[in-house]
Amino acid sequence: MRHSALHHTVITATTLVLGCGASGAIAQPDVPASPIANVPSPQGVVIPQGEPLALRLDEAVALMLRHNRTVRSAYLQRVAERFDLRASERAFIPQALIGTQIVTRRDAEGGASTDAVVSTGVSWRTPVGTSVSFVWDQRQSLHEGPDTGWGAATLSVSQPLRRGAGTDVNMAPLRIARLQERINQLQLQATVSNEIAAVILAYRALVQAQEQTRLAELSLERSQAILATNEALIEAGRMAAADIVQTESAVAGQELAVLQARQQQTSAQLALLQRLAIDPGVNVIAIDTIEAERVPIDFDRALDYALSARVDVLAQRQALEQMRHSLIMARNDRLLDVSVTASVTRFGDGDRFPAPLAGRTDYAAGLRVEIPIGDISRRQNEIRAEMNVRTAELRQEDLVQGVHTQVRDAIQNVEASWRQVEAAQRRQTLAERALDIQLERLRFGRGSNFETLSLQADLRAADTQALTAKIAYLNALTALDQQIGSTLETWQVSLND
């Protein structure tokens, strides 16, 4: 499926100064001179110039992948997105904290004391909801000497029995983050695919513009040849001198057509250079020829491929899974908060700093129950999550049906475009043959100027129609690639994410 002269208008600007009183004037900010002011304009500043840069379509795609700013921006965004997933992946990794503080106290009798406190802690949450924490506090009085330190170490465990219990609810945020990462990867694929398709269309637009210029120049040569034949016939007395005016008019029209075609070619060059994100002054030339060959397409295979490869279909599946995990979390929030807690604390003896943990030990265990009364926000969140799931399911059904329609329409567009190519090629062959016969008749003085010029115009139209039909067919194949999600595979592009 992989398959210039400028007219410068000079406008003179008049500066209007608004006065204040007899001599005052309002100060105007400095602004750059107008680009259309009455100053000399150098030639070729914007128009591509210099030695032609021959470029194949695959080379254009490769240049786009390296330089296109939209693709580069998408890759920059992926840096932050990957770090988001990395942060979510650390949800069940133990977290450590070290803190220090100096506390000054003053009692009612005017006495003051200053203590230095060092705290070290480690916390860990497991996928089943268990919370484990260990805290070691060390305190040293800065007024009473180095042998007045004391310490305490506490190990505590909490296990929810209802709300927050189980792997489904505790793993839900991580699973949502992983699904979002997959969606982000799919969005990168969509961005690259869209830019590849855009470059392909821009490249073919340049090929078409170049071919239009060639056809216009060829038509001009034919008109000039007819003009030379007319002049020879007039000299031989076999044509009236007034009959040459029609041919001269045709030559002038063809000269205008050549200028217009060159202007369109320049615009197509600039559009492609913009997509490639390279210097707009480069004189890029598309060297691929337009060769259209019929590609047989099986609808069932194309549809199956689209349902398994299209970015929007895959992303919607991930989004639906995200909604289902969000529903699990919303339903969990409505459960009673029932937890079993236990802790053990070991105190230091206070002989020195840091104090050894050789003192007494305290144990604690309990059952915590929280029952919300009158709070309907959790039920509100559950209903909203349920509706989000149902909406996502409907959106997926609609998307699948839309894929059927879009793939079927893209395939029929490809088939219709091919039939137009065949019809346009037949017309082109017949128009060329008719003009050749008429030119032979004209050389022998048996044809009319009007008929010859009409047949030449018909050939020019047939050439243009054949070219347009081929471009349309190739673009239809590119659009089908987009519809079934095979652009990256067609162009053998592997994303380094």
Side-chain angles (χ1 to χ4, degrees), residues 322-462:
Q322 283 184 319
M323 295 299 104
R324 289 171 177 165
H325 287 298
S326 296
L327 178 58
I328 292 175
M329 296 172 62
R331 287 174 175 169
N332 171 77
D333 287 342
R334 293 197 63 200
L335 300 176
L336 297 179
D337 186 3
V338 181
S339 303
V340 175
T341 62
S343 65
V344 56
T345 303
R346 182 80 169 176
F347 295 93
D349 60 9
D351 292 338
R352 62 183 181 275
F353 183 85
L357 300 178
R360 74 177 192 277
T361 301
D362 290 350
Y363 301 92
L367 178 68
R368 185 181 73 247
V369 179
E370 291 184 2
I371 304 175
I373 299 176
D375 183 8
I376 65 173
S377 62
R378 297 176 182 177
R379 175 56 180 163
Q380 177 187 16
N381 293 335
E382 182 184 11
I383 293 176
R384 187 176 298 278
E386 289 176 350
M387 296 306 103
N388 288 340
V389 170
R390 294 178 60 183
T391 301
E393 291 172 343
L394 291 174
R395 188 178 297 115
Q396 184 175 20
E397 293 175 5
D398 184 66
L399 183 58
V400 170
Q401 182 178 359
V403 169
H404 281 75
T405 302
Q406 293 163 9
V407 171
R408 187 181 299 274
D409 183 60
I411 292 177
Q412 73 84 22
N413 189 29
V414 169
E415 296 298 331
S417 297
W418 177 250
R419 290 194 295 270
Q420 292 174 25
V421 169
E422 292 178 325
Q425 288 177 337
R426 286 196 302 270
R427 181 193 174 189
Q428 184 183 29
T429 301
L430 293 173
E432 186 175 2
R433 182 180 176 187
L435 180 60
D436 289 341
I437 293 173
Q438 180 61 23
L439 288 175
E440 284 296 319
R441 295 178 61 192
L442 182 63
R443 290 190 188 97
F444 292 99
R446 292 185 296 173
S448 67
N449 256 5
F450 176 78
E451 188 175 1
T452 304
L453 294 175
S454 296
L455 290 174
Q456 177 180 283
D458 186 60
L459 177 58
R460 168 72 190 281

Side-chain angles (χ1 to χ4, degrees), residues 166-306:
T167 57
D168 286 345
V169 63
N170 286 284
M171 291 293 292
L174 178 56
R175 289 167 179 164
I176 290 175
R178 289 171 176 171
L179 290 168
Q180 185 60 47
E181 171 66 8
R182 178 56 181 155
I183 292 175
N184 295 335
Q185 292 174 341
L186 292 171
Q187 289 174 344
L188 176 62
Q189 293 180 22
T191 298
V192 176
S193 295
N194 292 337
E195 291 303 313
I196 289 176
V199 166
I200 292 172
L201 297 181
Y203 185 92
R204 289 185 184 141
L206 176 57
V207 174
Q208 185 174 10
Q210 291 174 178
E211 191 65 13
Q212 291 281 25
T213 300
R214 187 188 68 83
L215 292 175
E217 292 172 346
L218 181 60
S219 183
L220 175 59
E221 292 175 2
R222 292 196 192 104
S223 297
Q224 290 171 339
I226 294 174
L227 180 60
T229 302
N230 288 170
E231 291 172 346
L233 292 173
I234 291 173
E235 290 181 2
R238 299 169 62 183
M239 176 183 287
D243 291 345
I244 202 173
V245 175
Q246 191 176 32
T247 306
E248 291 175 339
S249 175
V251 170
Q254 293 302 326
E255 290 174 346
L256 176 60
V258 169
L259 293 175
Q260 292 174 339
R262 289 173 179 171
Q263 185 273 329
Q264 292 173 358
Q265 179 178 337
T266 298
S267 297
Q269 283 180 308
L270 293 173
L272 178 60
L273 292 170
Q274 176 68 25
R275 288 287 178 184
L276 300 180
I278 58 179
D279 185 3
V282 174
N283 185 18
V284 61
I285 302 296
I287 60 174
D288 280 6
T289 58
I290 298 299
E291 297 295 338
E293 297 180 359
R294 189 175 187 275
V295 178
I297 301 171
D298 182 85
F299 172 76
D300 293 331
R301 290 181 59 189
L303 180 60
D304 291 341
Y305 191 96

Side-chain angles (χ1 to χ4, degrees), residues 94-139:
Q95 307 292 320
L97 178 66
I98 299 177
T100 181
Q101 61 178 332
I102 296 178
V103 181
T104 300
R105 294 184 178 85
R106 185 175 296 275
D107 56 25
E109 299 177 356
S113 64
T114 301
D115 295 339
V117 181
V118 178
S119 298
T120 302
V122 178
S123 61
W124 177 42
R125 186 168 66 89
T126 70
V128 296
T130 307
S131 295
V132 181
S133 65
F134 174 77
V135 179
W136 185 11
D137 290 332
Q138 290 287 322
R139 184 182 296 269

